[in-house]
Amino acid sequence: MDWARSWKDTLFLLLEDVPYYLRELTASISIDGTSATTLIVNSTTGEPLWKPFLYNESCSDALPTVKSIAPENHTVCSGSSTLCKLISWWNQEDSDKKSAILLHQADWLLWLLHGKLGVSDYNNALKVGYDPELDAYPSWLLSQPYSQLLPSVKAPGTSIGHIKEDIGSQYGFPKDCLVCTGTTDSIAAFLAARATQPGKAVTSLGSTLAIKLLSTTRIEDARFGVYSHRLDDKWLVGGASNTGGAILRQIFTDEQLVALSEKINPVEASPLDYYPLQTVGERFPVADPKMAPRLQPRPESDVEFLHGIFESIARIEAKGYSLLKELGATQVEEVFTAGGGAKNEKWTKIRERVLGLPVSCATQTEAAYGAALLALKGAQQNK
């Protein structure tokens, strides 16, 4: 699969999808991309020198090197970090080191629109080792030979320049349409929910369970996969569990989930104590690579079984927010929900009871909406 080509083609198809009358009114554009999806490109032409490293690809061959240079429990100390990918590429014998630059997925796609190679944002650059508190790359990273590949870093939603003239005229965008730095997709989804005050959180109930909390303090702990992204003068603290909706899909069809959910009484606590996982291993809120899935005993009633799973995932979510507080984050006060699980009203009521907090469905959950808010920020700053 030629990933880079497919992303490029998709970007231009999306530009064509924008109704023509809106194109000429577009003031700014930004893009969110998958965190730690990494491209090594030619520093002159921008063409990929190697196949892209996807977000979930692990380069464990580089992990000993990373652990020897980075502080203990740093975000980069994970096989799937951008830094591991960079070092893994650097160690290839035939890598073209002199004329290469590292970009993240969003950076490269934005470059296709603005034409200035080597610009990133501090959310995407976190997993390559950028320190958002210092607003600089740390000395332990800059002293390495491969630091020459690192892009310059700006705040998300910062204007990089105007859209390239040929693209503007070909697609009908104004000459003064700005192209702004982007962010990661999970942060864009958080921005979309408009959770702007410390203590507000977004739980994403997709195939996995991911939580993000706006905090006044930064916390990091690689043991639990907990790290903080900078959001202006605050910190977006997050963790992701391996539990989530994928387990429900293994057991029930969508129709069954709807029908069985209707029969659940969310006010009653389920006595069943499960730990629903697809495979062995958990990272957050318990760091245990050997943890086995637990879905026994299974009652005869499917309603009771589903209730038990819902309740158990809610307990894991509650434990996640408790762990963030233990590690020093702001106390959670309200939870917005994104992802497929947000639509299930019974599950929401169970979660409200277990968390002891107001839980509601986020009005906007599309990451693209968050990217549009960043583009708006860039346009307003540039006035």
Side-chain angles (χ1 to χ4, degrees):
M1 179 71 186
D2 187 344
W3 287 111
R5 165 50 68 98
S6 73
W7 298 335
K8 181 179 177 177
D9 290 349
T10 304
L11 172 64
F12 289 108
L13 285 170
L14 286 169
L15 291 179
E16 281 177 358
D17 276 353
V18 178
Y20 203 83
Y21 73 94
L22 286 177
R23 291 186 217 174
E24 54 191 19
L25 298 171
T26 304
S28 54
I29 298 173
S30 182
I31 296 175
D32 66 273
T34 318
S35 166
T37 291
T38 311
L39 294 101
I40 310 287
V41 303
N42 182 291
S43 53
T44 311
T45 65
E47 286 300 311
L49 295 171
W50 197 260
K51 66 178 181 63
F53 293 91
L54 299 186
Y55 71 98
N56 57 351
E57 225 168 294
S58 185
C59 295
S60 45
D61 56 299
L63 201 50
T65 308
V66 169
K67 286 185 170 174
S68 72
I69 58 167
E72 195 181 2
N73 291 337
H74 193 283
T75 310
V76 295
C77 299
S78 154
S80 59
S81 74
T82 315
L83 186 57
C84 277
K85 289 161 185 167
L86 169 59
I87 293 170
S88 183
W89 175 83
W90 182 265
N91 290 340
Q92 306 278 347
E93 280 179 34
D94 56 349
S95 60
D96 185 2
K97 298 179 175 71
K98 287 192 176 69
S99 56
I101 197 162
L102 177 144
L103 292 176
H104 306 90
Q105 184 187 39
D107 309 336
W108 187 71
L109 291 168
L110 286 162
W111 163 74
L112 293 170
L113 302 181
H114 61 66
K116 294 175 183 173
L117 256 180
V119 185
S120 188
D121 65 87
Y122 59 54
N123 293 152
N124 270 300
L126 186 80
K127 290 184 182 175
V128 78
Y130 190 82
D131 187 332
E133 206 159 8
L134 288 173
D135 211 359
Y137 288 109
S139 53
W140 59 261
L141 181 54
L142 290 175
S143 60
Q144 306 305 320
Y146 36 80
S147 66
Q148 66 193 48
L149 272 77
L150 298 171
S152 67
V153 176
K154 297 176 185 286
T158 303
S159 165
I160 303 166
H162 292 117
I163 196 164
K164 282 161 70 178
E165 208 171 319
D166 56 335
I167 291 172
S169 54
Q170 185 184 342
Y171 291 92
F173 287 91
K175 283 182 179 172
D176 61 352
C177 174
L178 296 170
V179 181
C180 306
T181 47
T183 187
T184 67
D185 50 7
S186 62
I187 290 188
F190 187 92
L191 294 172
R194 304 262 184 144
T196 52
Q197 298 302 313
K200 306 283 184 193
V202 173
T203 293
S204 185
L205 283 176
S207 50
T208 59
L209 165 80
I211 69 176
K212 284 199 163 21
L213 165 70
L214 202 56
S215 171
T216 52
T217 47
R218 176 188 187 184
I219 58 168
E220 308 272 330
D221 198 319
R223 288 173 305 168
F224 301 107
V226 169
Y227 55 91
S228 298
H229 273 290
R230 185 174 156 193
L231 268 188
D232 296 325
D233 60 342
K234 299 179 192 76
W235 296 95
L236 187 55
V237 179
S241 165
N242 292 333
T243 193
I247 290 93
L248 294 168
R249 286 276 168 83
Q250 279 184 338
I251 304 167
F252 303 108
T253 65
D254 288 354
E255 292 75 23
Q256 285 175 316
L257 283 171
V258 171
L260 294 170
S261 294
E262 282 175 10
K263 295 173 183 168
I264 290 173
N265 179 359
V267 180
E268 282 180 19
S270 167
L272 298 165
D273 181 24
Y274 297 146
Y275 208 106
L277 296 170
Q278 276 190 292
T279 51
V280 170
E282 176 64 307
R283 192 173 186 194
F284 174 87
V286 181
D288 182 358
K290 292 178 182 165
M291 181 185 275
R294 190 171 72 245
L295 280 168
Q296 296 292 337
R298 178 167 180 166
E300 283 181 27
S301 159
D302 280 348
V303 175
E304 283 175 35
F305 188 41
L306 180 60
H307 188 170
I309 296 171
F310 278 167
E311 186 106 8
S312 299
I313 294 175
R315 289 188 204 116
I316 295 165
E317 180 185 3
K319 196 168 179 182
Y321 284 117
S322 297
L323 175 64
L324 295 186
K325 185 171 183 283
E326 280 168 38
L327 294 173
T330 301
Q331 168 79 45
V332 59
E333 291 171 4
E334 184 180 5
V335 176
F336 298 99
T337 315
K343 299 183 192 85
N344 192 306
E345 287 177 21
K346 294 292 176 81
W347 199 2
T348 301
K349 287 196 168 75
I350 290 169
R351 290 171 52 231
E352 246 181 348
R353 171 172 51 75
V354 173
L355 291 166
L357 294 166
V359 177
S360 60
C361 193
T363 349
Q364 293 286 350
T365 56
E366 280 293 334
Y369 187 89
L373 290 175
L374 282 179
L376 175 63
K377 177 182 166 188
Q380 288 170 337
Q381 282 175 348
N382 223 55
K383 276 183 180 173

